[in-house]
Amino acid sequence: MLDTGAVFHYAATMVVCGQSFSREILERIGTMLKEEPQLSRRALSRRVCESLNWRSPNGRLKEMSCRVALGKLAGAGVLELPAARPQPPTRARPVWTEELPELAPVKASLSELGRIELIVVRSRHSRASRLWRALMARYHYLGAGPLCGGQLRYLVRSERYGIVGAVAFSAAAWRVQARDRFIGWSEAARASNLNALLANSRFLILPQVEVPHLASHVLGLCARQLPGDWTQRYGVRPLLLETFVEHGRFRGTCYRAANWQHVGVTRGRGRQDRSRTHRVPLKDVYVYPLRHDWRERLRAQPEPAQREHKAVDLTEGTHDWAQEEFGAAELGDARLSARLLSLARDFYAKPRAQIPQACGSRAKAKAAYRFFDHAATSMDAILQSHYQAACARIAAHPVVLAVQDTTSLNYNTQPAIENLGPIGTRPDTWLGLLVHDTMAFTPQGLPLGLVDVQCWARDAQAFGKKHQRKHLPIEQKESSKWLKSVQAAARFQARCPNTTVVSVGDREADIFELFDLARTLQHAPQLLVRAEQNRALSEEQGKLWEHLARQPIAGVQQLEVPRRTKRAARIAKMAISYARVELKAPRTKAQLKPVSVWAVWAREIEAPTGVEALEWMLLTTCQIDSFSQATEKIAWYAARWGIEVYHRTLKSGCQIEQRQLGAADRIEACLAIDMVVAWRILHLTKLGREHPDVPCTVYFSEMEWKALVTYIHRSPVLPDEPPKLREATRMVASLGGFLGRKCDGEPGTQTLWLGLQRLDDLAAMYEILTNMLARSPPTVSSGHSYG
């Protein structure tokens, strides 16, 4: 019954409905069906659940999830299920109008209703269930259901007037952009912890009941009673509630009165809206936390997979970089994983090419567009494997700088792209996406990989309401991007205990909550932030800049200032002062405690006339006890420039702003691949400088380096050993316009990405010619002479 060849033609393991199906498991299912051909699908799912111990937290077998998974396996052609048995015709669900109570209009105060209680509907066959359905069928615009997943239904009963309403909670929506951004969880955390988030899917106060504050009072009762009832039934403690209020039909007043938070608006797409027809009304998204630590629990990462990445040894020779960076991606289907590897190799070979040109054929281009349109290929899902590979590289270094910064992607030339937002000073001019990424660097500037990527589109309706942000918690502001990056760095710090991870940010990162988070966060990284505000210090210290001005100069450091457009290169003399300071919380955040950090002030002395003197004020949680430690932190901050070079490589080298994909979520999936490609180009640039004498095979395949040497030297005679990495890198850069003069220094990313694109064509032609020569018989001279 099992076609094992079809299964393992492309994978050894498939993950379906959250369950892994290995070769052994699929063979076991096939044997089960062969021995008992009369087995029904329902009985089979029960057997499989028992065999895998696939249970929900309350201990029940997850038979329905198993039946769905088996159906998907059969649809993929890897499993042959018994024929579905015919089902009796479905009878229309009756509406029990006779169960509706006779209720006269009620106009009273809340206290006049007496005690309000929630009656749990425990069985679908009970009278309470019939009454609940009848009320919803008659009075609720969505009807009685069906509700999705696990569910709890309540009747709302007044001590004096009887039933006055009904309410229901069920499984949360799989994806909601506004909600997911507010929570700030990763793709892996969302998939692991979504069962702790519940949706208020029905809420009804009978129309003849007019009692002020009744609705918000009922919502408060639900928030207190629901966690215990849900835990008792399903074995999972809910952490957060969500609901959706349809525009034009309701205003959400009762939710706001019950302290639910408005976190955004849906996109107007239903669960099955693959064609993006926007036929579903827009809805406001409200959430209600049930615990004070709900965000930390929902963001908690699942246990890492058994597979571990190992850092690549530069002396070991060539390796498959795409497999290294994307091989552990869990996309739910091995065919998607294989397509991801193919796209990564194609994009790296032609970084500036559009998708059809990079893919090389119409069929591969169509497959690429289908890949980016797939629900499983989100940015976070694609990047998880790269994060693991970066973690292995980070663990090999004593100090790593997690540099974070924001860049914008402008798609104003492509107005047909959906779900973009304003990125300029006006809401109707520049449209695009914002990307806040964190790149790990060594103190010498070698990029080790991405640590965190956040991508979003601003809400055009909220544009111009900056004055309102002061009253919002930081979780609802864009500033939360800095905190999320630090939390991501903390996860890497936890996995790399022998590495000191330092989160580095520019002046925009000068947020008091960031330092407060670093003080309370488990496995928190060190912080290094350039100060923007002249913050108030403890009473005896005064203000930040004034206090540092009173400190003695610890020493003078010379700094090479490169030439710019109208500024000549020079050697700046930087006077360095440092001190430990205690930052006071802003007045609007008086509930936060003061934070103790070290401040390093570097300012230029004897600056040339007419030239603005350089000045940096750095705040760090790293201890500073000497002049050398202070200058070390300045050097660390100077390495932040690497992420600016990376963003230029991403935009100019990978041409991400020219991708024509039609929707923001497709662009994000494509961006995930382009960001790793841009990192690899930057990594090659730096690696050729830091490790010039390793073999070039650490980065180039045999066909690539042979084609490169043959073309550069215009000779088919190859050397006995492949060239060193520095030599090969300069050869590639020469294909992109690098001249290699004494004054040119080492090649940069621009000449490298141009050279890589040409190298791909050279390698392809070299392979064709090599195969032709191998098939052609050698020409043998007869040695005869005529004349």
Side-chain angles (χ1 to χ4, degrees):
M1 304 298 289
L2 174 65
D3 181 7
T4 55
V7 178
F8 301 106
H9 174 68
Y10 56 85
T13 301
M14 294 184 69
V15 179
V16 186
C17 295
Q19 178 66 40
S20 297
F21 290 87
S22 65
R23 176 174 190 150
E24 292 74 18
I25 293 173
L26 291 171
E27 288 178 344
R28 198 185 314 159
I29 296 173
T31 302
M32 194 182 304
L33 289 170
K34 186 176 181 180
E35 293 177 350
E36 301 181 63
Q38 76 286 357
L39 204 61
S40 67
R41 295 190 178 192
R42 182 175 183 179
L44 175 63
S45 65
R46 190 182 304 112
R47 295 272 192 90
V48 173
C49 285
E50 292 172 348
S51 176
L52 301 178
N53 195 26
W54 193 2
R55 300 175 182 273
S56 59
N58 62 0
R60 296 179 181 177
L61 297 176
K62 300 188 73 171
E63 294 183 49
M64 185 55 66
S65 296
C66 185
R67 291 180 67 180
V68 173
L70 293 176
K72 290 184 177 181
L73 290 171
V78 301
L79 191 66
E80 185 178 346
L81 293 178
R85 297 181 178 180
Q87 299 293 325
T90 303
R91 294 181 298 176
R93 190 185 299 272
V95 178
W96 293 280
T97 54
E98 68 276 12
E99 297 290 344
L100 291 178
E102 292 294 334
L103 184 63
V106 177
K107 290 188 177 182
S109 65
L110 182 61
S111 60
E112 291 174 338
L113 294 183
R115 181 171 175 267
I116 305 296
E117 62 176 334
L118 299 177
I119 302 174
V120 181
V121 178
R122 301 191 180 278
S123 170
R124 63 189 180 95
H125 302 294
S126 65
R127 181 182 180 278
S129 178
R130 296 195 300 270
L131 177 56
W132 188 94
R133 290 185 178 279
L135 289 172
M136 290 296 171
R138 171 171 292 188
Y139 297 116
H140 200 284
Y141 76 104
L142 292 177
L147 306 180
C148 297
Q151 54 192 260
L152 265 178
R153 296 175 293 158
Y154 295 98
L155 293 171
V156 182
R157 181 180 180 276
S158 161
E159 182 181 17
R160 181 170 300 175
Y161 293 96
I163 302 299
V164 294
V167 64
F169 293 86
S170 56
W174 184 245
R175 295 180 192 275
V176 180
Q177 186 183 70
R179 177 205 69 192
D180 294 341
R181 185 180 300 160
F182 175 75
I183 297 173
W185 52 9
S186 66
E187 183 72 14
R190 183 195 57 77
S192 176
N193 303 323
L194 188 65
N195 60 351
L197 199 159
L198 305 182
N200 176 207
S201 47
R202 295 292 187 276
F203 187 27
L204 171 68
I205 299 296
L206 296 181
Q208 56 265 48
V209 177
E210 299 181 18
V211 178
H213 314 301
L214 174 59
S216 58
H217 178 72
V218 172
L219 289 172
L221 291 177
C222 291
R224 291 188 289 273
Q225 183 173 333
L226 176 66
D229 292 343
W230 191 273
T231 304
Q232 183 179 5
R233 177 171 292 188
Y234 294 106
V236 176
R237 186 78 179 182
L239 301 173
L240 186 71
L241 303 179
E242 71 178 11
T243 197
F244 305 95
V245 178
E246 184 176 324
H247 277 192
R249 188 183 291 270
F250 305 106
R251 293 181 296 177
T253 305
C254 64
Y255 288 100
R256 292 194 297 269
N259 294 321
W260 288 56
Q261 300 180 55
H262 180 264
V263 298
V265 182
T266 63
R267 294 183 174 186
R269 294 177 55 191
R271 292 183 301 156
Q272 309 300 328
D273 186 18
R274 302 294 297 159
S275 60
R276 295 176 170 82
T277 54
H278 294 266
R279 295 180 179 177
V280 179
L282 296 177
K283 297 179 181 179
D284 288 306
V285 184
Y286 289 86
V287 298
Y288 185 86
L290 297 174
R291 290 176 58 107
H292 70 282
D293 58 348
W294 65 273
R295 181 172 273 109
E296 290 74 15
R297 289 175 177 267
L298 288 179
R299 287 176 175 176
Q301 294 291 107
E303 291 297 323
Q306 295 298 319
R307 172 181 176 176
E308 295 183 357
H309 277 84
K310 295 183 179 179
V312 176
D313 187 345
L314 294 177
T315 62
E316 287 184 353
T318 189
H319 66 285
D320 186 349
W321 78 270
Q323 182 69 34
E324 178 71 22
E325 302 305 321
F326 294 114
E330 296 183 358
L331 303 180
D333 190 325
R335 291 168 295 184
L336 291 175
S337 299
R339 179 59 56 189
L340 173 59
L341 298 181
S342 175
L343 286 171
R345 297 185 186 105
D346 290 341
F347 281 19
Y348 180 72
K350 294 183 174 66
R352 290 176 60 86
Q354 288 299 313
I355 293 175
Q357 182 184 358
C359 292
S361 70
R362 182 179 179 182
K364 290 183 67 177
K366 290 178 67 176
Y369 290 123
R370 288 196 300 269
F371 176 88
F372 295 132
D373 197 40
H374 199 283
T377 58
S378 66
M379 169 181 279
D380 198 67
I382 292 174
L383 287 175
Q384 284 302 317
S385 179
H386 173 71
Y387 291 155
Q388 295 179 36
C391 187
R393 290 186 287 267
I394 288 172
H397 296 270
V399 176
V400 168
L401 310 176
V403 181
Q404 53 173 319
D405 196 21
T406 305
T407 188
S408 60
L409 302 179
N410 181 7
Y411 293 98
N412 207 53
T413 58
Q414 303 181 49
I417 296 180
E418 298 176 355
N419 304 320
L420 300 179
I423 58 174
T425 56
R426 292 177 54 187
D428 56 348
T429 52
W430 305 105
L431 296 177
L433 298 171
L434 295 175
V435 178
H436 186 83
D437 53 344
T438 305
M439 176 71 73
F441 291 90
T442 65
Q444 295 75 31
L446 179 66
L448 302 177
L450 292 161
V451 171
D452 179 60
V453 178
Q454 304 166 48
C455 183
W456 70 96
R458 284 175 175 154
D459 184 359
Q461 296 181 355
F463 198 89
K465 300 179 181 180
K466 186 175 181 180
H467 61 282
Q468 298 179 1
R469 299 174 191 169
K470 294 182 180 180
H471 307 290
L472 296 175
I474 192 168
E475 290 82 9
Q476 298 184 37
K477 302 178 184 178
E478 279 191 5
S479 302
S480 63
K481 62 190 179 183
W482 303 98
L483 278 66
K484 293 174 184 176
S485 172
V486 169
Q487 291 165 340
R491 294 193 290 270
F492 279 73
Q493 180 66 86
R495 298 175 186 175
C496 306
N498 297 323
T499 301
T500 299
V501 179
V502 183
S503 178
V504 182
D506 61 9
R507 285 179 289 192
E508 190 182 349
D510 185 11
I511 303 171
F512 189 84
E513 288 91 341
L514 193 71
F515 296 98
D516 184 68
L517 176 66
R519 178 181 58 187
T520 59
L521 186 64
Q522 188 177 12
H523 304 295
Q526 301 293 339
L527 293 185
L528 179 62
V529 175
R530 185 177 178 184
E532 167 71 13
Q533 305 178 49
N534 191 17
R535 294 190 177 277
L537 308 179
S538 58
E539 295 181 2
E540 67 276 8
Q541 292 181 330
K543 293 277 191 173
L544 177 61
W545 256 265
E546 289 77 3
H547 180 69
L548 266 293
R550 294 193 294 267
Q551 305 304 311
I553 296 177
V556 177
Q557 182 187 34
Q558 290 188 344
L559 179 68
E560 294 185 8
V561 182
R563 180 181 63 85
R564 288 196 175 179
T565 307
K566 295 183 180 180
R567 187 184 69 186
R570 71 179 192 277
I571 301 297
K573 295 182 179 180
M574 307 295 292
I576 311 298
S577 302
Y578 64 90
R580 185 168 185 172
V581 297
E582 190 172 81
L583 307 178
K584 294 178 65 175
R587 295 178 181 177
T588 57
K589 302 162 187 174
Q591 73 278 10
L592 300 179
K593 299 179 181 179
V595 175
S596 180
V597 297
W598 278 265
V600 180
W601 190 25
R603 68 273 193 196
E604 185 179 4
I605 57 177
E606 302 176 7
T609 304
V611 176
E612 183 180 359
L614 301 178
E615 180 186 9
W616 285 351
M617 177 73 77
L618 304 180
L619 300 175
T620 180
T621 55
C622 301
Q623 184 170 344
I624 300 177
D625 295 322
S626 64
F627 173 68
S628 61
Q629 289 180 337
T631 56
E632 178 185 56
K633 306 309 177 289
I634 295 175
W636 287 359
Y637 184 78
R640 199 198 72 83
W641 176 249
I643 201 166
E644 305 284 355
V645 179
Y646 170 70
H647 287 160
R648 186 183 66 186
T649 304
L650 178 65
K651 294 181 180 181
S652 300
C654 297
Q655 297 285 293
I656 183 60
E657 292 177 317
Q658 305 305 318
R659 299 296 193 203
Q660 298 180 9
L661 290 163
D665 51 354
R666 298 175 191 164
I667 290 176
E668 290 181 13
C670 184
L671 176 62
I673 302 176
D674 278 320
M675 294 187 82
V676 178
V677 169
W679 159 78
R680 181 167 168 79
I681 294 173
L682 183 61
H683 187 254
L684 173 60
T685 306
K686 298 292 185 180
L687 195 65
R689 302 176 185 181
E690 294 197 8
H691 302 276
D693 297 326
V694 300
C696 71
T697 51
V698 300
Y699 247 83
F700 302 101
S701 68
E702 180 181 5
M703 202 62 64
E704 286 174 335
W705 77 259
K706 287 183 177 181
L708 181 64
V709 171
T710 299
Y711 180 81
I712 294 296
H713 295 296
R714 299 293 196 272
S715 171
V717 180
L718 295 171
D720 295 333
E721 298 291 337
K724 302 299 183 184
L725 180 59
R726 178 178 181 272
E727 182 183 358
T729 302
R730 292 172 72 89
M731 288 182 186
V732 173
S734 69
L735 299 178
F738 177 69
L739 299 179
R741 300 168 297 187
K742 291 184 179 180
C743 61
D744 289 338
E746 295 300 320
T749 56
Q750 181 172 350
T751 55
L752 275 176
W753 76 58
L754 292 173
L756 286 171
Q757 188 154 305
R758 292 191 62 194
L759 176 60
D760 181 64
D761 295 331
L762 292 176
M765 181 57 69
Y766 184 86
E767 184 176 12
I768 293 172
L769 295 175
T770 301
N771 292 336
M772 289 177 59
L773 292 173
R775 291 193 298 267
S776 300
T779 302
V780 181
S781 176
S782 64
H784 294 287
S785 176
Y786 299 91

